[in-house]
Amino acid sequence: MRILLVEDDPVACRTLAKLLRYHGHDIVEAANLLLAFERLTAEIEVIILDLMLPDGLGHSLLRHMRDTGHPARVIVTTGMSSPRDLSDVRSLGVARILQKPINLDELLANLDP
Amino acid sequence: MSWLSEIARWLTGGPRHQYMTLVHCMDHDMTWIGVTVLLDLTVAVGYLVIARHWWIQERSISPSPERQALSRMKSIFLFCGLCGYIFIPIKMYWPAWRLYDAFMMVLAIQTWRYAWDARGLKVVYHQLGLARTLAVELEASKAESLRQTRFLNAVSHDLRMPLNRLVLQSELLDVAARTGDSELMEETIRSIRESARATSTMLGRFVELADLDWSEQPRATETFDLADLLGGLADAQRPAAEARSVELTWSSDVRQIRTDRGKLRTILEELLKNAVQFTYKGHIRVQAHADSQALIISVRDTGLGISEKDLERIFHDFFQVGNPERDPTKGIGLGLPLARRTADCLGGQIDVESALGAGTTVRLRIPGAVPLRTADGPPLDLRQRLDAGEGLAHLAGRG
């Protein structure tokens, strides 16, 4: 499965990418929104998206996907816990919201629809 | 009942006006007299409406001294208002002066009774003052609660990052162990150690800051050698500075000082760490001197500098310049807030002068931390030391 991993914490990004590769997935990494937009190709099947990024919020990527009809499944990972913060994300067609620290088994189980 | 009708006749003038002369003005200028009567009655009705609202509001609170005091005022208001405005027109039409005087006597007695009772209004005003104070305290409490919630949210958010790293790294360690990849294992253990250290530092910071905010901070005043403190702090930060070819030097016109050593150390450590973190070339100079009222220590660097809009924000909790990804190994934005809050505990202040690309000067001023001995100088004489706030017992104890 080709996964776009959008995560600004370089250590977490690198570690999660290694783990997902170990589980047989093809990982494209993006440390910020700009790179995420650049690397969001048609082949991407799943996006693991951190919401708080250095150059903005992950919401704009979600809106872009909705506007362009990109079919990738989106799993949001976030350190925010307030329901108010997350309600607008849910309305943008996110498949699953996972709180950090990420439970790897839960993440792997949610990669497939 | 004949005596009653006799009194009534005496008061009102009687049918043939045998008790008093009836003088009234109803025989002329009827238009203006009519207007006066109409206006009087309009005012009287207004008084009734006000009293009605007053009465309704009064019923909405449970019996209390304040309600009682206000209720008396309502009675005065109603009594005087109605009497005044109803009797004026009656008097114009029916000038029964004796009856009017009898009524005025009752009015005077009642008014003075109420005037006496008006002392009870102090209860109302006391309660109003109390309510105002409580409202102000409630607002402050709400603001503090909001600040604490934000702080806890930020703590929660920032703690999740190193925890997330640790969880993922432990998963990776598990993979490395299962696949027998010793190189990956070593690398992951190293990363785990680093993440654990960052988490520990972060937790320590949170606790320090929370401690400053939410508990009493007694001053542990002691006499110590400022040069020792500055030298020790500079030595601790020098390797990090030299790794970037930044020269770190210090000088002090002050030797012995009397203040809270631990708190002063915390402040200076944060200021120095901050200077080292944002200086990539040139130098960092720490200078201490004192005037007659305060100890002044400045940390001057040739680092990146701070833009004008960030100058005040650098003291806000969790604000960081140049760490948008909030990597905890680059700090968590609590160093300068901690320094300022600690300076507040000492009654001191921190001022910053900076401009982007022009370096930064942070000046710490602690009133009352007056030197007991200057560099290269003898101990200050007894008079100076007493002026500096050092007690005789202390001087005697030091021999």
Side-chain angles (χ1 to χ4, degrees), chain B residues 144-157:
Chain B
E144 177 58 19
S145 171
L146 187 66
R147 198 185 72 74
Q148 288 182 13
T149 306
R150 284 187 183 145
F151 181 82
L152 287 174
N153 278 343
V155 167
S156 158
H157 178 267

Side-chain angles (χ1 to χ4, degrees), chain A residues 54-108:
Chain A
D55 50 353
L57 292 173
H59 301 60
S60 48
L61 187 72
L62 292 170
R63 281 191 207 98
H64 171 74
M65 289 177 64
R66 185 189 58 189
D67 295 345
T68 56
H70 198 290
R73 182 177 169 76
V74 182
I75 298 168
V76 160
T77 62
T78 179
M80 291 193 285
S81 50
S82 162
R84 196 181 50 192
D85 295 335
L86 300 175
S87 59
D88 49 346
V89 180
R90 288 197 181 91
S91 66
L92 288 169
V94 168
R96 190 68 199 257
I97 297 171
L98 297 180
Q99 292 280 341
K100 289 180 181 177
I102 298 167
N103 180 325
L104 187 65
D105 293 336
E106 197 181 359
L107 176 66
L108 292 172

